[in-house]
Structure formats: C-alpha cells, structure tokens
Short mmCIF file of all heavy atoms in Angstrom, two decimals:
data_model
loop_
_atom_site.label_atom_id
_atom_site.label_comp_id
_atom_site.label_asym_id
_atom_site.label_seq_id
_atom_site.Cartn_x
_atom_site.Cartn_y
_atom_site.Cartn_z
N PHE A 1 22.21 138.56 57.67
CA PHE A 1 23.30 139.44 57.25
C PHE A 1 24.38 139.49 58.33
O PHE A 1 25.58 139.39 58.03
CB PHE A 1 22.78 140.85 56.94
CG PHE A 1 23.86 141.81 56.55
CD1 PHE A 1 24.44 141.74 55.30
CD2 PHE A 1 24.31 142.77 57.45
CE1 PHE A 1 25.46 142.60 54.94
CE2 PHE A 1 25.33 143.64 57.10
CZ PHE A 1 25.90 143.56 55.84
N ILE A 2 23.97 139.64 59.58
CA ILE A 2 24.94 139.67 60.69
C ILE A 2 25.71 138.35 60.76
O ILE A 2 26.93 138.34 60.93
CB ILE A 2 24.23 139.97 62.03
CG1 ILE A 2 23.77 141.43 62.04
CG2 ILE A 2 25.12 139.67 63.22
CD1 ILE A 2 22.86 141.79 63.20
N LEU A 3 25.01 137.24 60.61
CA LEU A 3 25.65 135.93 60.64
C LEU A 3 26.63 135.79 59.48
O LEU A 3 27.74 135.26 59.65
CB LEU A 3 24.58 134.84 60.57
CG LEU A 3 24.94 133.47 61.07
CD1 LEU A 3 25.52 133.50 62.47
CD2 LEU A 3 23.74 132.56 61.02
N PHE A 4 26.26 136.27 58.31
CA PHE A 4 27.13 136.21 57.13
C PHE A 4 28.41 137.02 57.36
O PHE A 4 29.52 136.54 57.12
CB PHE A 4 26.37 136.74 55.91
CG PHE A 4 27.18 136.80 54.65
CD1 PHE A 4 27.49 135.65 53.95
CD2 PHE A 4 27.65 138.02 54.19
CE1 PHE A 4 28.25 135.71 52.79
CE2 PHE A 4 28.41 138.08 53.03
CZ PHE A 4 28.71 136.93 52.34
N VAL A 5 28.27 138.24 57.85
CA VAL A 5 29.43 139.09 58.13
C VAL A 5 30.31 138.46 59.21
O VAL A 5 31.54 138.45 59.11
CB VAL A 5 28.98 140.52 58.53
CG1 VAL A 5 30.15 141.35 59.04
CG2 VAL A 5 28.31 141.22 57.35
N TYR A 6 29.66 137.91 60.24
CA TYR A 6 30.39 137.25 61.32
C TYR A 6 31.22 136.08 60.77
O TYR A 6 32.39 135.92 61.13
CB TYR A 6 29.38 136.75 62.36
CG TYR A 6 29.99 136.05 63.55
CD1 TYR A 6 30.60 136.77 64.57
CD2 TYR A 6 29.94 134.66 63.66
CE1 TYR A 6 31.15 136.13 65.67
CE2 TYR A 6 30.49 134.02 64.76
CZ TYR A 6 31.09 134.75 65.75
OH TYR A 6 31.63 134.12 66.84
N CYS A 7 30.63 135.28 59.89
CA CYS A 7 31.35 134.15 59.28
C CYS A 7 32.55 134.65 58.49
O CYS A 7 33.63 134.07 58.54
CB CYS A 7 30.43 133.34 58.37
SG CYS A 7 29.36 132.24 59.27
N LEU A 8 32.36 135.73 57.73
CA LEU A 8 33.47 136.29 56.96
C LEU A 8 34.60 136.74 57.89
O LEU A 8 35.78 136.47 57.62
CB LEU A 8 33.00 137.49 56.13
CG LEU A 8 32.16 137.18 54.89
CD1 LEU A 8 31.73 138.48 54.22
CD2 LEU A 8 32.94 136.32 53.91
N LEU A 9 34.23 137.43 58.97
CA LEU A 9 35.25 137.93 59.90
C LEU A 9 36.00 136.79 60.59
O LEU A 9 37.23 136.79 60.66
CB LEU A 9 34.61 138.83 60.95
CG LEU A 9 34.11 140.18 60.46
CD1 LEU A 9 33.34 140.91 61.56
CD2 LEU A 9 35.27 141.03 59.98
N ILE A 10 35.26 135.81 61.11
CA ILE A 10 35.90 134.68 61.78
C ILE A 10 36.72 133.87 60.78
O ILE A 10 37.84 133.44 61.08
CB ILE A 10 34.86 133.78 62.49
CG1 ILE A 10 34.13 134.57 63.57
CG2 ILE A 10 35.51 132.54 63.10
CD1 ILE A 10 35.02 135.19 64.62
N GLY A 11 36.18 133.68 59.57
CA GLY A 11 36.93 132.99 58.52
C GLY A 11 38.22 133.72 58.19
O GLY A 11 39.27 133.10 57.99
N ALA A 12 38.17 135.05 58.15
CA ALA A 12 39.36 135.85 57.86
C ALA A 12 40.38 135.72 58.99
O ALA A 12 41.59 135.60 58.73
CB ALA A 12 38.98 137.31 57.65
N ILE A 13 39.91 135.72 60.23
CA ILE A 13 40.83 135.58 61.38
C ILE A 13 41.58 134.26 61.30
O ILE A 13 42.79 134.20 61.55
CB ILE A 13 40.05 135.70 62.71
CG1 ILE A 13 39.58 137.15 62.91
CG2 ILE A 13 40.90 135.23 63.89
CD1 ILE A 13 38.59 137.34 64.04
N PHE A 14 40.87 133.17 60.95
CA PHE A 14 41.50 131.85 60.88
C PHE A 14 42.03 131.52 59.48
O PHE A 14 42.49 130.41 59.23
CB PHE A 14 40.53 130.77 61.34
CG PHE A 14 40.21 130.84 62.80
CD1 PHE A 14 38.92 131.13 63.24
CD2 PHE A 14 41.19 130.62 63.76
CE1 PHE A 14 38.62 131.20 64.58
CE2 PHE A 14 40.90 130.68 65.11
CZ PHE A 14 39.61 130.98 65.53
N ASN A 15 41.93 132.48 58.57
CA ASN A 15 42.41 132.32 57.19
C ASN A 15 41.70 131.17 56.46
O ASN A 15 42.32 130.40 55.72
CB ASN A 15 43.93 132.12 57.18
CG ASN A 15 44.52 132.40 55.81
OD1 ASN A 15 43.95 133.17 55.03
ND2 ASN A 15 45.64 131.79 55.51
N VAL A 16 40.38 131.06 56.67
CA VAL A 16 39.56 130.05 56.00
C VAL A 16 38.23 130.69 55.55
O VAL A 16 37.16 130.13 55.81
CB VAL A 16 39.31 128.81 56.90
CG1 VAL A 16 40.56 127.97 57.06
CG2 VAL A 16 38.74 129.21 58.25
N VAL A 17 38.31 131.81 54.86
CA VAL A 17 37.10 132.57 54.51
C VAL A 17 36.16 131.74 53.64
O VAL A 17 34.96 131.62 53.95
CB VAL A 17 37.46 133.89 53.81
CG1 VAL A 17 36.21 134.60 53.32
CG2 VAL A 17 38.24 134.79 54.75
N LEU A 18 36.67 131.16 52.56
CA LEU A 18 35.80 130.38 51.66
C LEU A 18 35.23 129.15 52.36
O LEU A 18 34.06 128.81 52.19
CB LEU A 18 36.56 129.98 50.39
CG LEU A 18 36.91 131.13 49.46
CD1 LEU A 18 37.74 130.62 48.28
CD2 LEU A 18 35.65 131.83 48.95
N GLN A 19 36.05 128.51 53.16
CA GLN A 19 35.58 127.33 53.89
C GLN A 19 34.50 127.71 54.91
O GLN A 19 33.53 126.97 55.10
CB GLN A 19 36.76 126.65 54.61
CG GLN A 19 37.80 126.09 53.68
CD GLN A 19 38.87 127.10 53.27
OE1 GLN A 19 38.70 128.31 53.41
NE2 GLN A 19 39.97 126.61 52.73
N ALA A 20 34.65 128.87 55.54
CA ALA A 20 33.64 129.36 56.49
C ALA A 20 32.33 129.63 55.76
O ALA A 20 31.24 129.34 56.29
CB ALA A 20 34.13 130.62 57.19
N LEU A 21 32.41 130.16 54.55
CA LEU A 21 31.20 130.42 53.77
C LEU A 21 30.53 129.11 53.36
O LEU A 21 29.30 128.99 53.42
CB LEU A 21 31.52 131.26 52.54
CG LEU A 21 31.88 132.72 52.84
CD1 LEU A 21 32.27 133.45 51.56
CD2 LEU A 21 30.73 133.43 53.52
N VAL A 22 31.32 128.12 52.95
CA VAL A 22 30.77 126.81 52.60
C VAL A 22 30.04 126.22 53.81
O VAL A 22 28.90 125.76 53.70
CB VAL A 22 31.87 125.85 52.10
CG1 VAL A 22 31.36 124.42 52.01
CG2 VAL A 22 32.42 126.31 50.76
N PHE A 23 30.70 126.26 54.95
CA PHE A 23 30.10 125.76 56.20
C PHE A 23 28.77 126.45 56.49
O PHE A 23 27.77 125.80 56.76
CB PHE A 23 31.08 125.96 57.36
CG PHE A 23 30.42 126.05 58.70
CD1 PHE A 23 29.98 124.91 59.35
CD2 PHE A 23 30.20 127.29 59.31
CE1 PHE A 23 29.34 125.00 60.58
CE2 PHE A 23 29.57 127.38 60.53
CZ PHE A 23 29.14 126.23 61.17
N SER A 24 28.77 127.79 56.43
CA SER A 24 27.57 128.53 56.80
C SER A 24 26.43 128.30 55.81
O SER A 24 25.27 128.21 56.21
CB SER A 24 27.86 130.02 56.96
OG SER A 24 28.29 130.58 55.74
N VAL A 25 26.74 128.17 54.53
CA VAL A 25 25.70 127.90 53.53
C VAL A 25 25.08 126.52 53.77
O VAL A 25 23.85 126.36 53.75
CB VAL A 25 26.25 128.01 52.09
CG1 VAL A 25 25.30 127.42 51.07
CG2 VAL A 25 26.56 129.47 51.76
N VAL A 26 25.93 125.52 54.01
CA VAL A 26 25.43 124.16 54.28
C VAL A 26 24.53 124.17 55.51
O VAL A 26 23.41 123.65 55.48
CB VAL A 26 26.60 123.16 54.46
CG1 VAL A 26 26.12 121.84 55.03
CG2 VAL A 26 27.31 122.94 53.14
N PHE A 27 25.00 124.79 56.59
CA PHE A 27 24.20 124.85 57.81
C PHE A 27 22.89 125.59 57.57
O PHE A 27 21.82 125.11 57.95
CB PHE A 27 24.98 125.53 58.95
CG PHE A 27 24.16 125.71 60.19
CD1 PHE A 27 23.97 124.66 61.07
CD2 PHE A 27 23.53 126.92 60.45
CE1 PHE A 27 23.18 124.82 62.21
CE2 PHE A 27 22.74 127.09 61.58
CZ PHE A 27 22.57 126.03 62.46
N TYR A 28 22.97 126.74 56.94
CA TYR A 28 21.79 127.58 56.72
C TYR A 28 20.73 126.85 55.88
O TYR A 28 19.55 126.83 56.24
CB TYR A 28 22.20 128.89 56.04
CG TYR A 28 21.05 129.78 55.68
CD1 TYR A 28 20.40 130.52 56.66
CD2 TYR A 28 20.61 129.88 54.37
CE1 TYR A 28 19.32 131.34 56.32
CE2 TYR A 28 19.55 130.71 54.03
CZ TYR A 28 18.91 131.42 55.02
OH TYR A 28 17.85 132.22 54.69
N VAL A 29 21.15 126.23 54.79
CA VAL A 29 20.20 125.53 53.90
C VAL A 29 19.57 124.34 54.63
O VAL A 29 18.35 124.16 54.59
CB VAL A 29 20.88 125.09 52.59
CG1 VAL A 29 19.98 124.19 51.77
CG2 VAL A 29 21.30 126.32 51.76
N LEU A 30 20.38 123.56 55.31
CA LEU A 30 19.83 122.42 56.06
C LEU A 30 18.90 122.89 57.18
O LEU A 30 17.84 122.30 57.39
CB LEU A 30 20.97 121.58 56.66
CG LEU A 30 21.61 120.56 55.76
CD1 LEU A 30 22.84 119.97 56.44
CD2 LEU A 30 20.64 119.47 55.36
N HIS A 31 19.29 123.95 57.87
CA HIS A 31 18.49 124.45 58.99
C HIS A 31 17.12 124.94 58.53
O HIS A 31 16.14 124.83 59.27
CB HIS A 31 19.26 125.58 59.70
CG HIS A 31 18.71 125.92 61.04
ND1 HIS A 31 18.79 125.08 62.13
CD2 HIS A 31 18.04 127.02 61.47
CE1 HIS A 31 18.22 125.65 63.16
NE2 HIS A 31 17.74 126.83 62.80
N ARG A 32 17.04 125.45 57.32
CA ARG A 32 15.76 125.92 56.78
C ARG A 32 14.72 124.80 56.71
O ARG A 32 13.53 125.03 56.91
CB ARG A 32 15.94 126.50 55.36
CG ARG A 32 16.49 127.87 55.34
CD ARG A 32 15.37 128.85 55.62
NE ARG A 32 15.90 130.18 55.65
CZ ARG A 32 15.67 131.06 56.60
NH1 ARG A 32 14.93 130.73 57.62
NH2 ARG A 32 16.17 132.25 56.55
N PHE A 33 15.19 123.59 56.39
CA PHE A 33 14.26 122.47 56.21
C PHE A 33 14.26 121.49 57.38
O PHE A 33 13.23 120.91 57.70
CB PHE A 33 14.57 121.74 54.91
CG PHE A 33 14.41 122.61 53.70
CD1 PHE A 33 15.51 123.15 53.06
CD2 PHE A 33 13.14 122.93 53.24
CE1 PHE A 33 15.35 123.99 51.96
CE2 PHE A 33 12.97 123.77 52.15
CZ PHE A 33 14.09 124.29 51.51
N ALA A 34 15.41 121.29 58.02
CA ALA A 34 15.49 120.33 59.12
C ALA A 34 15.08 120.95 60.46
O ALA A 34 14.75 120.23 61.39
CB ALA A 34 16.90 119.76 59.22
#
C-alpha cells in the first residue's frame, strides 16, 4: 500500500501517474515470481 501511494505521488509530481502505475504493476508481478 505504501509503495502504491508512493508511486501515485511520484507519478503525480512528474505528471506520469498512469505510466508510474504501469511500471509498478509490471515490476510487482515480475518480482513475485522472479
């Protein structure tokens, strides 16, 4: 949850909120298995 909120905040600062979420989902899903 903290990581998700952090991604939203940093994404908002750089004006790339959706892209930050895509990045974090890809990393999170891969990290679960890799």
Side-chain angles (χ1 to χ4, degrees):
F1 178 75
I2 289 171
L3 201 53
F4 177 75
V5 171
Y6 180 77
C7 281
L8 286 178
L9 290 173
I10 298 302
I13 290 169
F14 292 115
N15 199 26
V16 288
V17 174
L18 292 176
Q19 295 87 343
L21 289 176
V22 168
F23 155 78
S24 63
V25 166
V26 168
F27 175 80
Y28 176 76
V29 171
L30 277 172
H31 195 70
R32 281 280 178 229
F33 298 102

